[in-house]
Each structure stands twice: as C-alpha cells, then as structure tokens.
Amino acid sequence: MKGGDSRKRKNGPFPRAEGAETPLSREEGDGQADAGANASATLPAVGAPAEAPRGISRRGLFGLAGAGVAGVGLGIAADRGVQALAAAGAPAAGSTVYPFYQEHQAGIVTPAQDRLHFAAFDLAPGATRADLISLLQDWTTAAAALTAGHDIGDFGAVGGSYDAPPEDTGEAFGLPPAGLTITVGFGPTLFTTSAGVDRFGIASARPDALAELPHFPGDQLDDARSGGDLCIQACADDPQVAVHAIRNLSRIAFGRAAIRWSQLGFGRTSSTSTSQATPRNLFGFKDGTANVKAEQPAVVDEQVWVGAGDGPAWLAGGSYLVARRIRMTIETWDRTALREQETVFGRTKGDGAPLSGGTEFTEPDFAATGKDGAPLIDRASHMRLAHPAQNNGVQLLRRGYNFVDGNDDLGRLEAGLFFISYQRRPSQFTTVQLALARHDAMNEYVRHVGSALFAVPPGAARGSYLGAALFA
Amino acid sequence: MGEAENIGPGLSRTLVVDLSAGSYFTACKPGMTGTGIGQAPFTVTPSSAADAATNAPGEADLVARIDTANTNYASYVKDQIGQLVTGTAAFAAAYTAGDDNTARGLYAATRAHWERVETVAESFGDLDPKLDLREADLEEGQDWTGWHAIEKDLWPADAEAGFAAYPAAERARLAGLLVADTATLNEKVQPLTFTLAQQTNGAIGLLDEVASGKVTGEEEVWSHTDLWDFQANVDGARVLYAGVRDVLVQKDAALAATLDTRFAALQTLLDTQRVGDGFVLYTDLSTGTVKGLADQVNALAEPLGRLTAALVL
Ligand code: HEM
C-alpha cells in the first residue's frame, strides 16, 4: 500500500454494482449528431448534459468506425466545428478555428499562437506497421475534433458510461477552440532505427535529408531531450487547450507509442504573420522581426514547403521541422551592459531596430561603419550571422517559444528558448546554425541541450489521415 | 431496463442503456418510490443486424457464466489469503528467532499472496494500515506495524543515520501483530462474494497499484523487491480478467483481443527481469527498463479501464 487513503478508488475498490449504467448502443457510424444539440442523444428523464457555450461545445460527436485497438473510441472524421462556428454567429474571444483538413498542415504559417505544448514520441517495442497506421488515423480523427473545439471520442468528457473512464480527459470542457493547431512530424528513427532496423517497411521512403543533424560546436545535447520517432506540436492561445491536446493524443497512443520528451512553451518568440506584433524572448529582445511571414507566399513556397521534385512524393507540400531546446543563462545575461546586449544581437533592445539605423523593419546595412571604422552591426552579432546575406540566401520560418521549467539545483531559472524552425531542406537550418555555433556572440549566454529533426507530411485530405501517402 | 440513482436536485446525469427494439418510457422517482413523475415515452428501433444478433444468445447462459466467475474468484481469494496465513507464520517465526536470512528469503514470496488480492485485502479499512502501511504514509505519532516496518529492520541499508535495529521484544511484538492481523483478514474474507463490477474494478485497481506504487519503486523502499509485487498484482488482475473473459468475448470481442495481447506483452517484458525464482531488484533497473515497463503498464491499463463499462449491463 502507499499514499494512505488518498489513493483509494472513489468508491473503495469495490463500488456497488447496482445502478451501474450501461454503454449506449453506439450511435451509428457517421457522426450525424448535431453539434449544437447536445441533449438529443440523451434520454430525457435524467436531463441533458451541461450545455457548453455557443454551439461549439467540446463534446464528442463521432461515429465509432474503427475504434479497434485504440484506448478510446475514435470515430471517422467529422469536422463540424467549423460549420458549428459559422452557425454560431459572431466569434468571441478564443473562438478562432483553423481548418484541419488542408493542403499543408496547420501550425506552420498559421499566425504563431501564444502557447505551445510539444511532444516527441517513440513507437512501442514490437509495434507493427498496422499499429503505426492506426495511430496516425486515430490522431488525425482526434486532431480534427480537438482543433474544431470538440471533445474526443463518441461521448466526450462527461457523456459516457458512468462505469468507464471518460473518453476525453475533460480539462478543456467548455473552453473555446483557442486557435488550436496540431502538427505531426516523422523523425528519422521512424524509418530506420539507430540499429538499422526497418520496423514498418518504410525505410526506402526515407528522404535522404531526414537524417540526424550533425554535431554543432558547443552542443551539449541530452539524449533524453532529443530525437523521437514522431512529434506533435500543439499550439493554442490557451495553455490548457494545448496541454489537453497533447494529453489526450498521448493517451490514445498508449500501447502503440509513448512520450519520449515534451516541452511547454508559455510565450511565442516569433511572428509568422505581418498582422502580429513582434513578441520578445527571455533576453528581452524583439524576436521574429525578420522572420518568414505568411504574407510572403513566394518566399514560403521557396523556403518552407518541400517541392514536388525535392524527394519522395509523400512529403511534397510538407516541410522539415527542427526543434532545439536552448537553455539561456539569464542570470549572467542580466548582468551584461545594455551596450553589450545590443551588440550581441545587432539590434536595439527597445524597438528592435538594426544598429545601422532606422526602425524595426528597416533593412540592416551591414556595410555601415562607425567612427573608428568598425561595423555598426558587429561581425559576431546574431542577426548578421543569421541573415540570408551571409547564408547564400537561406531563410527559416522560426516558430519558437519561451520556456521556464522551474529552476535548477543552483536556484537558477531553468529558462530558455524552445527553438522551432520550418524549412524546405534541413540543410537550411544546418547552414545557419553552423555559422552561429562557430561565431555567434550570443553563445556565451546559451547552451543547446536538446535537438530533433522531423519531416512534416502535407495536410490530410478529409476522409484520409496524416502521412497516408507514405503507406500507400 | 436501467436506472441512474442518487441524482441530486438540479444535477444531470446521462443514463446509458442497451435496449432491444420496442416502446419505452422514462420516469423520475424521487425517493425511489411510486410510479414516477414526468414520464416520457420513446421508441427504440434496431440499429443494426449485428446489434440484434449479439444480444440474442442466451441471457441465461451469461448469467450462469457470471455466477461461475464470482464463485471462482471467491475461492481464489480464500486460497491466496490461506497461503498468506501459512507463509506469514513461517516468516514471523524466522524473524522472531533472529534468522534474518530466512526471513528475507520469505518476505517477497509471502507478500505475493497479499499483492495478488490486494484490492480485496485493502478493502478492510482498519486492517490495511496495520498490515501494509509504508513509513511515508504514517501520521505523526502513529504506531508503525506490518510488513514494511519489519522490512526496514531486515534491510536497514538505506535507513536514516542513527536507525537502530529493533530489540527482540519489538520484533516479537511486530511479528505477533502481523500473524494476528493476518488471521483476522482470513476470517473476514471467508464470507465474501463478488459482483461482476467488483471483479472488473478489482482488475483495474490492481493495475492502478502497479502504475502508482510498483513501477515507481515506492512500495518496497527498503528491500527493493517491487517487481515481485508487480508480478503478483498482474497475476491477480489476470485471474480476474480470465474469469470474465468469456463474457467479454461475447460483448466486445475487440476489447478482449486487445486485453489478451496487452496482458501477454506485459508478462513477456516482466519475464526479461526474472532472476531465479525472483526478479532483479528495483534499484538495479535502468531508467530505460523502468520506462519500458511503465509504458507497457499504460498500454494495458488504458483498455482495461473500459472493462467494467463493457461488461456491467
Ligand atoms: C536562444 C536562442 C536564440 C535567440 C534568443 C535568438 C534571438 C534572435 C533575435 C533577437 C533576432 C533578431 C530579430 C528577428 O529578426 O527575429 C534573431 C534573428 C534570427 N535568428 Fe535567432 N535566436 C536564437 C536562436 C537562433 C537559432 C538556433 C537560429 C538558427 C539556426 C536562429 C536564426 C535566426 C535568424 C535566421 C534570424 C533572422 C536574421 C535576419 O534575417 O535578420 N536564431 N534571433
């Protein structure tokens, strides 16, 4: 025994059996239940379940096709949140819904939401190709429901049998969709394990570029925070909604895949749309100024989306995701003079203007020099080294988040930047990171402790699932 | 047909019932008497041929199977507690006599009988703390008795500085209480019978025990024999599951297939940690091995959580 009484099951280990409710013979197949009319599937005498607000309630509204081995009943996709939202009239705060079934996965050029929960998964030992496919199908169905603001499962958080654990964990019950996006990626080890095993018969479909990133000078990578067979990036404007997504998706995966590592991000460090104000990272600098933005479709096509001729066809329209957990030694940084801080980035701390002059969005002039002939934008500054002009025109779509995971044993904040970038080729990241790792003045204040690379397949078509073309 | 009870004023509860085609009505019976108020008629039509078919084969047959499962489980509990009584006597004798080696050798194997039926054993609220309390669970000033108090004395290696071995009188007292309380437990389990829900929830509860105490190494903090308990909890859950499996196959064959596979996979993994009659000590397991075991426990516990709802109609 452990934990005294607190761990006893609610009714003691043997709750009485009388009065136990029974599972409803499942609503048939196609999820025809009406998103707005919660009461309709319920026997009237015992009352309707609590109404969630405005007809975009988080309730499970899915049929039961293919529930099979999944931990919870997952049905065929019925992406009705968007319709429900449209019917509900004027959007309220948090009601943003990004369509799930699209050409490209959402969560890349989508205006960067405020919060992140990112998780990397490893497939279970002994998992089969069928397990992997069913997992991706179940994730797709659940992701469509979650991003539309629904609970997962047939009966959701509170509508199911009184004698079964609820299908949906419930902490997002009644919350609006909050702009949730769910983005799924495939790591190199999904195709071939480090021991060279092709577990799922997809080794030959691995793009050459999907290989472990090289070791960069200064890397202090922790294996337990690196790599992974699969990843899910959940971004939302409400942290509870993002965490709910990862929690439920990992619950669905039990037995087929388990979390390897995960990371919460509490604030965005990037803008991916010109409609957004530039946020700040934990060094206090505006971050995302010169990022690739959704409003530059030509640049996005050139730099972010994998082209049809780039490699295996299944990845066309997808992208590569690099994740780096970068710890900041902020205590040291905070003792650094403002002059030094601005020199490190090559921008002003207040407005984020380049030190060569102008305002935030003025193009930097790397040739401009000061009175002693030294460049106004230091040669070792982060911006100069990362700029396309220094990197054969290479650009990245950055989508990182600030994190503070408590503190370390010395009482220092366990803080940093969870760097995420999307690019058409991993070599874009490698080029920039190599330049930074060698020369960046910022290195004195950061340490890369986690690293992962994933191929992000294109969006799923309605009725299909993420990554389907890989298994065709 | 079905009911939901104990619904407080103003609350709502979803009633889920499995009905054959026909006309029905709902009614609310405040105080559980009378013909009910607010009657509302509704009609059920067959949802599919398959549904009609699964409900058909002999309800009587089902009832008989459930009956057998109940009887068998009651015997299993009595048998395990019987063996616990015998094993405890031998353990207590060795411990009192100062034969620590023999006592250490008997400790985990004897406790396995307790762990196999742990959800039943700990349902007696007064006996459980006397027999199975860990030091961390103690309240200020509480008398610490039972298995774990003796465990610390037998394996003092990780004890706090200044911990002194118990004097002979204390050993005799603890051993005597252990034997006496186990005898009381034995008396209490004799008349027990088990409903279907008690059995299915027992299986679920045993896996919860594994997930919260054994796979974390919190149960046997001095002897580190957590994997013995782990195995015993899984044994007990498997017995419970086996008792109702036939019925489950009729009601939800897919769930039965999943549970079969997951029970087998967990056992296979646990078998890799066997050494002789026992297991690797918890403290000798690598983090990776523990995570593998924890993942496999989640893999089984998640579908197992649906067992009661799938069976109790
Ligand atoms: C703790 C880690 C990091 C911090 C605090 C940081 C901070 C910044 C800041 C303040 C800017 C200037 C504003 C802007 O244009 O967004 C910037 C720009 C940039 N950073 Fe970082 N960064 C970090 C890591 C990285 C990494 C790992 C890479 C890629 C390997 C990277 C690539 C870039 C690029 C491409 C730019 C835009 C340069 C330009 O075109 O002007 N950064 N970063």
Side-chain angles (χ1 to χ4, degrees):
Chain A
M1 147 160 201
K2 68 167 261 292
D5 282 347
S6 60
R7 59 188 253 289
K8 291 266 150 69
R9 298 181 79 75
K10 285 137 288 187
N11 304 321
F14 292 107
R16 73 208 188 304
E18 327 84 63
E21 287 111 334
T22 57
L24 183 66
S25 45
R26 267 78 185 235
E27 302 166 40
E28 283 317 293
D30 58 3
Q32 284 305 327
D34 181 347
N38 292 342
S40 63
T42 311
L43 302 184
V46 286
E51 290 286 340
R54 294 195 340 281
I56 47 167
S57 65
R58 294 190 161 267
R59 287 206 63 226
L61 296 162
F62 294 89
L64 194 75
V69 296
V72 294
L74 286 168
I76 53 169
D79 184 24
R80 50 187 69 250
V82 184
Q83 305 149 23
L85 186 74
S95 65
T96 312
V97 172
Y98 295 112
F100 179 77
Y101 294 106
Q102 293 189 97
E103 182 188 359
H104 307 291
Q105 286 196 60
I108 303 173
V109 293
T110 308
Q113 300 94 323
D114 289 334
R115 327 286 176 182
L116 166 83
H117 194 179
F118 190 101
F121 294 79
D122 282 337
L123 269 290
T128 62
R129 181 181 167 104
D131 288 334
L132 173 57
I133 292 173
S134 71
L135 176 61
L136 292 170
Q137 288 168 336
D138 291 346
W139 273 359
T140 301
T141 304
L146 290 165
T147 53
H150 297 315
D151 282 2
I152 59 160
D154 300 295
F155 303 106
V158 295
S161 162
Y162 219 45
D163 283 310
E167 292 167 311
D168 186 288
T169 56
E171 72 272 27
F173 188 80
L175 294 179
L180 175 70
T181 57
I182 290 167
T183 316
V184 173
F186 303 155
T189 49
L190 186 70
F191 297 81
T192 323
T193 65
S194 47
V197 181
D198 177 10
R199 291 173 291 173
F200 310 112
I202 51 175
S204 60
R206 182 177 63 80
D208 292 338
L210 185 65
E212 208 179 319
L213 293 170
H215 173 89
F216 298 99
D219 274 2
Q220 294 185 30
L221 302 183
D222 175 356
D223 191 48
R225 291 189 191 275
S226 301
D229 293 340
L230 295 168
C231 76
I232 301 177
Q233 170 196 279
C235 296
D237 291 325
D238 181 335
Q240 181 103 339
V241 168
V243 168
H244 172 258
I246 292 296
R247 175 174 172 192
N248 282 272
L249 293 169
S250 51
R251 187 174 171 215
I252 289 170
F254 282 143
R256 291 178 286 185
I259 290 191
R260 177 182 174 85
W261 54 269
S262 63
Q263 181 68 52
L264 283 176
F266 68 82
R268 66 183 169 96
T269 61
S270 203
S271 307
T272 52
S273 163
T274 53
S275 66
Q276 296 184 288
T278 314
R280 288 180 189 271
N281 57 40
L282 293 183
F283 286 146
F285 275 73
K286 284 192 177 181
D287 203 338
T289 305
N291 202 14
V292 173
K293 306 271 163 79
E295 290 78 5
Q296 308 167 290
V299 180
V300 171
D301 277 342
E302 173 59 33
Q303 303 279 339
V304 179
W305 304 130
V306 173
D310 288 2
W314 67 265
L315 191 56
S319 189
Y320 285 93
L321 182 169
V322 170
R324 306 280 288 184
R325 186 175 193 269
I326 307 174
R327 175 86 193 272
M328 293 171 161
T329 50
I330 52 174
E331 287 79 4
T332 324
W333 172 262
D334 293 343
R335 292 191 280 267
T336 306
L338 182 58
R339 175 196 310 281
E340 158 84 356
Q341 293 189 0
E342 292 195 344
T343 304
V344 163
F345 284 105
R347 288 184 176 271
T348 62
K349 196 167 186 179
D351 296 335
L355 293 182
S356 51
T359 56
E360 183 185 350
F361 294 102
T362 308
E363 268 302 307
D365 178 0
F366 296 110
T369 51
K371 66 172 192 280
D372 51 2
L376 288 174
I377 300 173
D378 192 80
R379 287 187 209 289
S381 72
H382 182 71
M383 176 182 53
R384 178 192 284 263
L385 292 165
H387 194 273
Q390 307 293 319
N391 295 286
N392 310 319
V394 155
Q395 285 177 266
L396 314 173
L397 186 145
R398 287 171 287 140
R399 222 175 180 287
Y401 286 83
N402 294 320
F403 70 83
V404 176
D405 296 343
N407 56 273
D408 65 17
D409 294 346
L410 305 182
R412 300 179 302 191
L413 289 186
E414 176 73 42
L417 190 150
F418 187 72
F419 176 91
I420 295 175
S421 67
Y422 287 92
Q423 48 270 308
R424 180 175 179 174
R425 301 179 184 89
S427 60
Q428 291 164 255
F429 171 82
T430 312
T431 303
V432 179
Q433 177 55 21
L434 201 55
L436 294 176
R438 283 181 182 145
H439 307 295
D440 194 351
M442 184 181 75
N443 291 341
E444 197 178 331
Y445 309 99
V446 302
R447 217 182 319 134
H448 289 235
V449 292
S451 175
L453 173 68
F454 300 96
V456 174
R462 205 172 284 269
S464 183
Y465 61 96
L466 291 168
L470 174 58
F471 304 95
Chain B
M1 297 286 114
E3 60 173 355
E5 26 168 44
N6 301 329
I7 306 170
L11 297 186
S12 65
R13 176 97 67 76
T14 309
L15 169 62
V16 189
V17 284
D18 204 351
L19 298 173
S20 10
S23 298
Y24 301 84
F25 65 90
T26 56
C28 178
K29 294 187 184 178
M32 293 169 37
T33 53
T35 49
I37 56 174
Q39 294 193 0
F42 65 96
T43 310
V44 172
T45 50
S47 37
S48 75
D51 277 9
T54 42
N55 285 340
E59 278 296 321
D61 183 39
L62 264 187
V63 171
R65 284 181 183 192
I66 291 171
D67 240 29
T68 314
N70 291 338
T71 321
N72 288 347
Y73 188 60
S75 317
Y76 177 75
V77 171
K78 281 184 257 183
D79 178 54
Q80 287 303 318
I81 299 295
Q83 294 191 54
L84 180 68
V85 169
T86 319
T88 305
F91 171 79
Y95 177 60
T96 317
D99 184 355
D100 288 10
N101 272 336
T102 305
R104 285 192 205 105
L106 291 171
Y107 177 83
T110 308
R111 277 182 53 72
H113 300 298
W114 166 279
E115 296 289 342
R116 286 197 188 111
V117 295
E118 185 172 14
T119 45
V120 180
E122 67 178 24
S123 66
F124 303 106
D126 47 338
L127 277 178
D128 181 39
K130 287 183 186 167
L131 284 166
D132 200 31
L133 209 62
R134 302 171 321 152
E135 191 169 22
D137 302 326
L138 288 173
E139 276 175 38
E140 197 75 33
Q142 194 179 353
D143 182 24
W144 189 25
T145 62
W147 285 101
H148 297 299
I150 300 175
E151 178 200 2
K152 185 177 184 182
D153 191 36
L154 286 172
W155 282 274
D158 298 335
E160 66 278 6
F163 173 79
Y166 303 155
E170 176 66 355
R171 283 197 166 204
R173 183 183 81 94
L174 289 176
L177 285 172
L178 190 70
V179 168
D181 290 334
T182 307
T184 312
L185 175 65
N186 191 32
E187 279 161 34
K188 293 206 176 191
V189 299
Q190 296 309 317
L192 288 185
T193 60
F194 301 93
T195 65
L196 184 60
Q198 284 172 334
Q199 293 182 63
T200 53
N201 286 333
I204 296 165
L206 284 168
L207 253 286
D208 284 354
E209 296 285 349
V210 177
S212 58
K214 277 67 178 200
V215 83
T216 55
E218 289 168 44
E219 182 74 16
E220 308 287 359
V221 289
W222 314 110
S223 67
H224 308 304
T225 52
D226 300 271
L227 289 192
W228 277 256
D229 301 355
F230 188 140
Q231 176 69 66
N233 282 163
V234 172
D235 288 345
R238 202 195 296 96
V239 164
L240 283 161
Y241 170 60
V244 300
R245 188 180 170 280
D246 273 1
V247 185
L248 183 65
V249 168
Q250 275 188 24
K251 302 221 179 202
D252 188 342
L255 181 58
T258 304
L259 290 174
D260 288 351
T261 321
R262 303 267 166 99
F263 263 115
L266 182 56
Q267 190 56 59
T268 306
L269 197 61
L270 209 43
D271 286 343
T272 61
Q273 301 306 320
R274 278 191 193 280
V275 180
D277 293 348
F279 291 91
V280 178
L281 293 184
Y282 187 84
T283 35
D284 292 339
L285 298 172
S286 71
T287 315
T289 303
V290 173
K291 176 160 193 301
L293 287 165
D295 285 348
Q296 205 56 55
V297 168
N298 287 334
L300 173 59
E302 192 62 39
L304 194 63
R306 291 186 283 139
L307 186 61
T308 305
L311 285 179
V312 179
L313 289 180

